Amino acid sequence: MTTDQILTSERADLLDALHKHRELFRFTVRGLSDEQAASRPTASELCLGGLIKHVTATERQWCDFITDGPAEQPDVDWANIDWSNPPAEVIEYQNGFRMLDGETLAGLLASYDEAATDTDTLLAHVDLDARQPLPEAPWNPPGVTWSARRVFVHLVAEIAQHAGHADILRETIDGQKSMG
């Protein structure tokens, strides 16, 4: 097997994993109304529309990371937030997990499809060994870098994890399950 065949096979495997988990994730919202997608049927603050927004943003942010390196982080002391009056950056972050007035499930899914297409295009062409330093954050050890390959594996895990969250929410709404 040549190096080109190995890389082609590796890219195909990554793309297949992304497609599989995106399909499971999207299945959880099939046939829902905007009101159902915005509902929070469990003790969690999560809603299905908010999960779609979050995964869309996650794909975009990690693809930007691959091409541009770590983004500037907002200067927020997450450990000492005054929750009665949170800073705008915190509200913006929280809104990334909510379906806001005027947002529709169809619109969120269209945005997700655009992000997925951009991710797939990047995966087809990027040097999988290209590395970027992780942003400085309490949860990232200093000096750690990730390859593009590692980012794509992380995206598969993110989508799969949130598909599980979505499945629980959907089952709570109307009993539908992705599997089983």
Side-chain angles (χ1 to χ4, degrees):
M1 188 175 282
T2 68
T3 303
D4 286 343
Q5 288 170 318
I6 292 169
L7 291 177
T8 300
S9 176
E10 179 180 18
R11 288 178 199 276
D13 286 347
L14 288 167
L15 192 59
D16 182 60
L18 284 168
H19 286 187
K20 175 184 177 179
H21 292 291
R22 285 182 190 137
E23 183 180 327
L24 288 169
F25 184 49
R26 286 182 60 93
F27 183 79
T28 62
V29 298
R30 191 168 295 153
L32 288 181
S33 68
D34 291 337
E35 293 76 23
Q36 288 171 311
S39 71
R40 297 189 325 252
T42 67
S44 171
E45 292 283 327
L46 295 175
C47 70
L48 290 166
L51 283 174
I52 292 167
K53 281 176 68 172
H54 171 67
V55 173
T56 300
T58 298
E59 285 208 36
R60 288 184 172 141
Q61 290 164 351
W62 280 112
C63 287
D64 289 346
F65 171 83
I66 289 170
T67 59
D68 303 328
E72 281 192 42
Q73 302 295 311
D75 187 21
V76 174
D77 181 1
W78 292 93
N80 295 303
I81 293 172
D82 174 4
W83 290 104
S84 65
N85 186 26
E89 297 89 353
V90 172
I91 293 169
E92 182 179 341
Y93 176 78
Q94 290 173 323
N95 285 342
F97 290 89
R98 298 177 178 141
M99 237 177 116
L100 303 176
D101 288 341
E103 292 179 328
T104 65
L105 182 56
L108 295 175
L109 287 169
S111 183
Y112 181 52
D113 290 344
E114 290 172 13
T117 297
D118 292 345
T119 300
D120 293 353
T121 300
L122 181 63
L123 174 56
H125 299 99
V126 73
D127 175 0
L128 293 175
D129 291 320
R131 301 187 78 79
Q132 295 284 6
L134 289 177
E136 288 184 30
W139 50 87
N140 291 334
V144 172
T145 63
W146 275 11
S147 67
R149 175 183 297 100
R150 175 64 181 88
V151 171
F152 290 119
V153 169
H154 178 73
L155 281 176
V156 170
E158 277 271 337
I159 296 165
Q161 178 179 14
H162 292 308
H165 295 142
D167 200 38
I168 291 167
L169 293 171
R170 178 61 188 257
E171 187 175 359
T172 304
I173 291 169
D174 66 2
Q176 178 179 295
K177 297 184 244 180
S178 297
M179 303 173 105

